[in-house]
């Protein structure tokens, strides 16, 4: 769907270890959620969904397919990245392609792992990166204003409208404010401009607080500071131990559950990140359930039935007649499709139906 989550972070904060956990593939077949790397800095990660397991117990399919998310490892992020330091230009190009930023922040002390800034300070680290994002946005908006002024002189009405918004935006971000807090982000001129610029500080941010094993219990002082910072910015913090996450990729289900229980957590940090990222991207899943395959299909929230059908095949949308729908809860409660139908829990829905998360669907079409 062209949507992705970009991992950013200073050197030695655990970003690479986190990405390795997402991309580790040598034991993919035995891993609980097999990961695959399709290029050096990109991973396609299955979305953990226990509903698929419950459906499979009823249907007993030949295979199971999860929804997936794209994660992109953003390289070259150091002070001065916005000016081309490190791999600055590559970094900016990669991150503009993503929709959500996962910012890995070091929240643990370890004398054996040197911090590039000489000490552990999560707020300082966050501000270093966010300033680079802001500087890059300022440069991008200034260049766009120069172009719009030339077009506006030619009496281009759209250019004039965008120019007015761009100049107000520049004043806003030059004061140190992210694009996401700009008052006119819902205006048509802003949307038209940002569709092209994909401004970095307009993106949703999830903070990943990387802790040691001990830190997975009660929040340490670093995590507390990061959570307070994130709360002020209406962002969320997910706590993880990147080292443990990488180790658990090779575990079977029983080993994973045992380790998580020993650590005092019910869900791994990576699973939380995947679920939260899926939600932040405005995505949800519907299911098809047959003996050949039980599968989760990824759609945007608010998608109509014909558009949801097109995710399977374009012909399904072109020749859409109606959709047979059973809610996930009813499918489970009545032991499958036949039981749900006998209980009167199947519905026929038309072109205006908005697909709900967890719907089990079968499409009728004619091409």
């Amino acid at each position: 769907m062209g949507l992705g989550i970009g991992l950013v972070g200073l050197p030695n904060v655990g970003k690479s270890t986190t990405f390795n956990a997402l991309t580790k593939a040598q034991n993919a077949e035995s891993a609980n959620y097999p990961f695959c790397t399709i290029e050096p800095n990109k991973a396609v990660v299955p979305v953990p969904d226990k509903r698929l397991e419950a459906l499979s117990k009823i249907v007993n399919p030949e295979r199971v397919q999860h929804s997936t998310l794209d994660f992109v490892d953003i390289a070259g992020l150091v002070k001065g990245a916005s000016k081309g330091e490190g791999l600055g230009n590559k970094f900016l190009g990669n991150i503009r392609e993503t929709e959500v930023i996962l910012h890995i922040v070091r929240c643990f002390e370890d004398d054996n792992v040197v911090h590039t800034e000489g000490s552990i300070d999560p707020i300082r680290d966050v501000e270093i990166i966010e300033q680079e994002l802001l500087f890059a946005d300022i440069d991008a908006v200034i260049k766009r204003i120069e172009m719009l002024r030339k077009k506006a002189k030619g009496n281009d009405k759209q250019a004039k409208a965008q120019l007015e918004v761009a100049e107000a935006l520049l004043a806003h971000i030059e004061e140190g404010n992210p694009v996401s807090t700009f008052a006119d982000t819902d205006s048509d001129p802003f949307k038209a401009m940002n569709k092209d610029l994909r401004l970095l500080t307009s993106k949703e941010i999830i903070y990943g607080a990387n802790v040691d094993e001990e830190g997975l219990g009660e929040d340490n002082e670093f995590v507390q500071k990061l959570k307070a910072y994130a709360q002020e910015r209406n962002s969320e913090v997910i706590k993880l131990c990147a080292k443990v996450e990488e180790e658990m990729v090779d575990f079977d289900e029983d080993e994973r559950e045992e380790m998580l229980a020993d650590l005092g957590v019910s869900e791994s940090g990576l699973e939380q990140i995947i679920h939260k990222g899926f939600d932040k991207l405005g995505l949800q899943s519907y299911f098809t359930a047959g003996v050949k395959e039980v599968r989760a299909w990824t759609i945007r929230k608010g998608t109509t039935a014909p558009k949801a059908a097109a995710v399977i095949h374009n012909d399904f949308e072109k020749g859409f007649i109606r959709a047979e729908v059973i809610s996930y809860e009813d499918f489970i409660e009545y032991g499958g499709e036949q039981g749900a139908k006998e209980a009167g829990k199947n519905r026929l829905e038309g072109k205006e139906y908005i697909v709900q998360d967890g719907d089990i669907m079968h499409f009728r079409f004619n091409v």
Side-chain angles (χ1 to χ4, degrees):
M1 301 183 71
L3 299 172
I5 298 173
L7 275 73
V8 302
L10 291 174
N12 291 344
V13 299
K15 179 174 72 72
S16 295
T17 307
T18 301
F19 190 72
N20 288 342
L22 289 166
T23 60
K24 202 168 185 181
Q26 57 263 40
N27 293 312
E29 292 301 319
S30 62
N32 189 28
Y33 302 113
F35 307 132
C36 62
T37 307
I38 61 174
E39 56 185 76
N41 68 331
K42 187 175 181 181
V44 179
V45 182
V47 178
D49 195 331
K50 292 182 178 179
R51 295 175 299 180
L52 285 169
E53 298 172 20
L55 292 173
S56 297
K57 288 179 181 179
I58 293 173
V59 179
N60 193 27
E62 294 178 11
R63 59 182 178 271
V64 176
Q65 293 273 37
H66 290 251
S67 289
T68 61
L69 272 184
D70 290 350
F71 281 83
V72 181
D73 188 21
I74 307 300
L77 187 49
V78 295
K79 276 186 179 179
S82 60
K83 302 299 181 184
E85 294 294 328
L87 297 176
N89 292 333
K90 177 178 174 59
F91 145 68
L92 294 174
N94 284 344
I95 202 169
R96 289 195 196 284
E97 295 173 4
T98 65
E99 296 296 323
V100 171
I101 294 172
L102 171 60
H103 188 163
I104 302 297
V105 186
R106 180 169 166 178
C107 293
F108 67 92
E109 292 183 300
D110 186 341
D111 293 338
N112 295 317
V113 183
V114 178
H115 194 294
T116 55
E117 296 299 315
S119 62
I120 309 303
D121 185 342
I123 307 308
R124 176 205 60 210
D125 292 357
V126 165
E127 289 178 342
I128 286 173
I129 286 182
E130 293 187 350
Q131 282 183 344
E132 293 302 325
L133 301 181
L134 197 62
F135 291 154
D137 281 349
I138 289 171
D139 287 345
V141 174
I142 287 174
K143 290 176 182 177
R144 180 51 55 101
I145 286 174
E146 292 172 356
M147 184 190 77
L148 290 171
R149 282 175 176 165
K150 292 177 181 178
K151 288 188 174 182
K153 288 180 180 179
N155 208 27
D156 185 321
K157 292 183 179 179
Q158 290 185 340
K160 286 183 178 179
Q162 285 190 33
L163 177 60
E164 183 178 344
V165 171
E167 289 176 336
L169 175 60
L170 180 60
H172 176 81
I173 58 180
E174 283 185 330
E175 291 178 355
N177 303 305
V179 174
S180 59
T181 62
F182 182 56
D184 288 338
T185 54
D186 288 331
S187 69
D188 289 338
F190 175 85
K191 289 179 180 178
M193 179 173 62
N194 199 39
K195 185 178 181 180
D196 181 31
L197 295 183
R198 299 173 69 85
L199 295 166
L200 305 178
T201 62
S202 68
K203 301 177 186 296
E204 289 262 17
I205 295 180
I206 302 170
Y207 296 103
N210 185 25
V211 299
D212 53 20
E213 286 189 35
E214 185 178 335
L216 285 172
E218 186 176 346
D219 290 347
N220 62 34
E221 61 174 309
F222 304 125
V223 175
Q224 291 174 15
K225 289 179 180 179
L226 182 60
K227 284 186 173 180
Y229 180 92
Q231 186 174 12
E232 291 176 359
R233 288 152 181 77
N234 296 317
S235 296
E236 298 186 54
V237 175
I238 294 175
K239 189 163 60 174
L240 75 156
C241 177
K243 183 178 178 182
V244 169
E245 298 289 348
E246 189 176 24
E247 291 174 358
M248 287 197 300
V249 172
D250 293 327
F251 288 6
D252 62 28
E253 182 64 22
D254 291 339
E255 290 174 324
R256 283 171 55 83
E257 289 184 0
E258 182 179 350
M259 186 162 193
L260 290 173
D262 289 343
L263 294 170
V265 294
S266 58
E267 187 179 33
S268 79
L270 281 188
E271 288 175 354
Q272 294 178 56
I273 286 168
I274 294 167
H275 287 143
K276 181 57 64 176
F278 200 68
D279 180 62
K280 290 286 188 184
L281 288 168
L283 303 177
Q284 66 181 29
S285 300
Y286 74 87
F287 305 119
T288 52
V291 294
K292 289 286 186 182
E293 179 182 74
V294 166
R295 180 164 182 165
W297 300 89
T298 305
I299 57 172
R300 286 187 178 275
K301 295 174 184 178
T303 297
T304 60
K307 290 294 182 184
V311 176
I312 299 176
H313 197 287
N314 287 336
D315 285 348
F316 283 25
E317 179 184 9
K318 294 176 183 177
F320 181 89
I321 299 173
R322 63 181 62 88
E324 297 179 15
V325 184
I326 301 171
S327 73
Y328 168 78
E329 291 76 15
D330 288 337
F331 194 96
I332 297 300
E333 181 178 351
Y334 295 101
E337 181 179 350
Q338 189 59 38
K341 286 183 176 180
E342 290 173 357
K345 297 299 182 179
N346 65 310
R347 313 187 307 273
L348 293 179
E349 301 287 358
K351 293 182 178 181
E352 303 303 317
Y353 177 66
I354 303 298
V355 178
Q356 302 300 302
D357 184 51
D359 278 349
I360 288 88
M361 306 191 73
H362 175 71
F363 298 103
R364 298 182 185 179
F365 68 102
N366 182 26
V367 177

